[in-house]
Amino acid sequence: MTLTPLSTLPCSGSLWDQKRTHFRLYCFVSKHQLHTTMAGRGTITAASPFSAEDDVQKLRAAMKGAGTNEATIIEVLAHRTIEQRQRIKDAYKQSVGKDLIEDLTSELTGNFEKVVVGLMMTAPEYDAYELHNAMKGAGTEEACLIDILASRTSEEVQAINAAYKKKYDKSLEDDICGDTSGMFKRVLVSLTTAGRDQSNTVDDAAAAQDAKDIYEAGEARWGTDEVKFLTILCVRNKKHLLKVFDDYKKVSGKDIEDSIKSEMSGCLEDVFLAIVKCIRNKHAFFAERLYKSMKGLGTTDSVLIRIMVARAEIDMLDIKAEFKKNYGKTLYSFIKGDTSGDYRKILLELCGEDK
């Protein structure tokens, strides 16, 4: 990404605002990608040696003439990190004078195309793209809004907000407010503010009080005070909430998940459950989402694609381990049995070894 030095820009007017927004997005994306690389629990690692120019030539050859060599596209894009794919994309535009994503979409179709397009975006761009698609047109894919906003860190949500504004010239919060309603909307808006406490501080007395407040807002009264659930579940830090969950069971005799199920319904139940599950074990949450996307008749491809693309470089190894532990079969075997063609091939590459 090439940025004009801020010192050379005027300090007022739309140009300054645009460059400032550009700079902030660059910082968010770079910081997020550094965090992702440091995590080191993905199935995708940096290719070495790596030459963006060589990869551009391979991709050009794969798309020239009649027909498309999908195997080459998989070989290249499923074995490069996000940062390396961005360098390929830039090199493609420089040497070919065309946009790589546009060329790929003109050559590919169906779910295979969706995976490839997702791989060509940075992590914040992909989340913003998925959120926008979930809300555009008639109807809303609430599951997408929940999956992303309930599972991302505050730092990641800030980067998503910046990417969304840059790409669609609207704030994510505004689109959520226009497309959802009621308490579900309020929970999503709270998550979008990225205001969760980032400390590791646990105050035992405060955690006990939060557990008591949630109990009194739900199980102990007629009706439910959903705002109390929102205030605690969307704002408190992870360690504090784990203590709250333990204390809640002592107060109520039930797991908080069971109380949420009995007190709420629909999307509100789903989003609060997702928050609790991600606080307890984010890898198990994604494993469950993948399992449910493939079990039984049919496949919820939107969920399968979104998780495989978004988590391949971050924590897919941990998700695979949770999948095998909880469901007795490997994620690889599920994908192999539930998909086909080039779509199956690229997902299996993102999944990694069958273990």
Side-chain angles (χ1 to χ4, degrees):
M1 182 182 293
T2 303
L3 293 176
T4 304
L6 294 182
S7 59
T8 68
L9 297 174
C11 292
S12 62
S14 60
L15 177 61
W16 168 253
D17 292 337
Q18 291 171 10
K19 293 295 183 181
R20 183 169 56 186
T21 300
H22 188 185
F23 178 73
R24 285 173 177 165
L25 175 60
Y26 174 78
C27 291
F28 279 137
V29 170
S30 298
K31 192 175 181 182
H32 173 75
Q33 287 174 341
L34 177 61
H35 171 76
T36 296
T37 302
M38 289 173 65
R41 297 296 299 164
T43 48
I44 294 180
T45 57
S48 180
F50 167 71
S51 167
E53 291 72 22
D54 287 350
D55 285 342
V56 165
Q57 295 309 313
K58 291 177 184 177
L59 291 171
R60 282 192 70 191
M63 293 186 283
K64 274 171 45 176
T68 306
N69 187 338
E70 289 87 354
T72 297
I73 292 173
I74 295 170
E75 175 197 337
V76 173
L77 299 183
H79 296 95
R80 304 293 184 270
T81 61
I82 294 172
E83 188 272 336
Q84 289 177 330
R85 290 187 215 112
Q86 300 313 299
R87 289 167 62 185
I88 293 168
K89 187 164 66 173
D90 290 343
Y92 192 93
K93 183 167 282 189
Q94 289 168 1
S95 63
V96 182
K98 297 178 71 178
D99 185 271
L100 176 55
I101 294 180
E102 289 179 4
D103 277 2
L104 288 167
T105 55
S106 70
E107 294 286 330
L108 310 176
T109 59
N111 289 324
F112 179 58
E113 176 193 343
K114 291 176 184 176
V115 175
V116 170
V117 168
L119 290 174
M120 292 311 303
M121 301 179 195
T122 66
E125 287 171 347
Y126 183 59
D127 282 344
Y129 170 82
E130 285 288 290
L131 290 166
H132 184 260
N133 283 348
M135 293 184 283
K136 74 177 184 181
T140 305
E141 189 192 348
E142 291 88 357
C144 174
L145 306 182
I146 294 169
D147 282 357
I148 293 175
L149 294 176
S151 66
R152 301 314 190 246
T153 65
S154 292
E155 178 186 77
E156 288 167 341
V157 173
Q158 289 173 16
I160 293 166
N161 279 324
Y164 197 98
K165 179 72 173 177
K166 183 174 185 291
K167 176 68 175 177
Y168 304 109
D169 200 29
K170 288 183 69 178
S171 76
L172 174 58
E173 180 181 332
D174 285 346
D175 277 355
I176 286 173
C177 288
D179 222 61
T180 59
S181 61
M183 186 55 62
F184 179 57
K185 175 182 76 174
R186 291 169 67 175
V187 174
L188 294 180
V189 168
S190 177
L191 294 173
T192 304
T193 64
R196 185 180 298 284
D197 173 18
Q198 296 301 294
S199 76
N200 290 315
T201 303
V202 179
D203 182 321
D204 288 347
Q209 185 62 50
D210 279 347
K212 183 171 179 286
D213 287 347
I214 292 178
Y215 176 67
E216 292 178 349
E219 294 283 349
R221 59 175 283 172
W222 182 260
T224 307
D225 179 4
E226 293 100 344
V227 175
K228 183 59 67 176
F229 280 79
L230 183 159
T231 301
I232 294 170
L233 295 180
C234 296
V235 176
R236 307 293 194 259
N237 72 60
K238 178 178 178 178
K239 280 196 171 182
H240 179 93
L241 283 174
L242 290 172
K243 183 68 166 62
V244 171
F245 300 160
D246 288 342
D247 288 345
Y248 183 85
K249 187 160 188 178
K250 295 174 185 174
V251 171
S252 68
K254 299 172 66 173
D255 285 328
I256 191 168
E257 293 94 327
D258 292 330
S259 290
I260 289 171
K261 290 174 186 176
S262 64
E263 292 292 318
M264 299 169 199
S265 61
C267 295
L268 185 60
E269 175 189 338
D270 292 340
V271 71
F272 278 137
L273 284 176
I275 292 168
V276 171
K277 289 176 181 179
C278 286
I279 291 293
R280 286 197 190 276
N281 186 334
K282 191 180 294 187
H283 307 125
F285 169 75
F286 286 125
E288 180 185 22
R289 297 292 291 133
L290 287 167
Y291 175 74
K292 288 183 175 179
S293 77
M294 292 181 282
K295 75 167 186 175
L297 294 174
T299 305
T300 310
D301 293 295
S302 60
V303 175
L304 177 57
I305 293 169
R306 181 166 59 245
I307 296 175
M308 295 304 297
V309 170
R311 311 309 296 188
E313 195 175 329
I314 300 175
D315 53 3
M316 186 55 67
L317 293 174
D318 297 313
I319 293 168
K320 287 171 62 177
E322 288 291 337
F323 193 99
K324 187 172 183 180
K325 181 177 78 174
N326 294 334
Y327 306 110
K329 294 182 68 177
T330 63
L331 175 59
Y332 186 101
S333 68
F334 256 69
I335 293 171
K336 188 174 182 180
D338 226 60
T339 57
S340 61
D342 294 311
Y343 175 45
R344 172 203 281 164
K345 290 175 184 175
I346 197 165
L347 288 182
L348 291 178
E349 292 301 314
L350 298 180
C351 179
E353 297 177 1
D354 184 13
K355 63 178 185 179

